[in-house]
Amino acid sequence: WHMYADATGDEKLTIADALAIRLYAAGYYHIDEADLSYMDVNSDGVVNIADAQVISAYLADVVYKIPTE
């Protein structure tokens, strides 16, 4: 089971997930290849800072939906 955007694997969506994706994009955090598709929340085919920004905006109630499938 995978929760979309849950980069830390704790089954919660928090700012720690956005930070983990930022760190992954910078090369300082490992996300398993099989889990990367769950981190691509803006569906552009890559996991990068833009995905972390979507998560941060969601947590700040700026955007109201994160993909669930």
Side-chain angles (χ1 to χ4, degrees):
W1 182 83
H2 296 276
M3 179 179 169
Y4 277 84
D6 180 20
T8 60
D10 64 359
E11 298 183 10
K12 300 175 192 170
L13 185 58
T14 67
I15 198 66
D17 299 303
L19 177 59
I21 290 174
R22 286 179 188 273
L23 291 172
Y24 169 81
Y28 295 108
Y29 188 81
H30 175 76
I31 296 175
D32 290 331
E33 190 74 28
D35 295 332
L36 283 177
S37 64
Y38 297 98
M39 304 309 126
D40 182 19
V41 296
N42 66 355
S43 301
D44 66 354
V46 294
V47 176
N48 55 28
I49 290 176
D51 298 298
Q53 290 172 324
V54 170
I55 294 168
S56 296
Y58 174 79
L59 292 170
D61 290 328
V62 174
V63 296
Y64 300 103
K65 185 175 180 187
I66 293 275
T68 57
E69 297 182 352

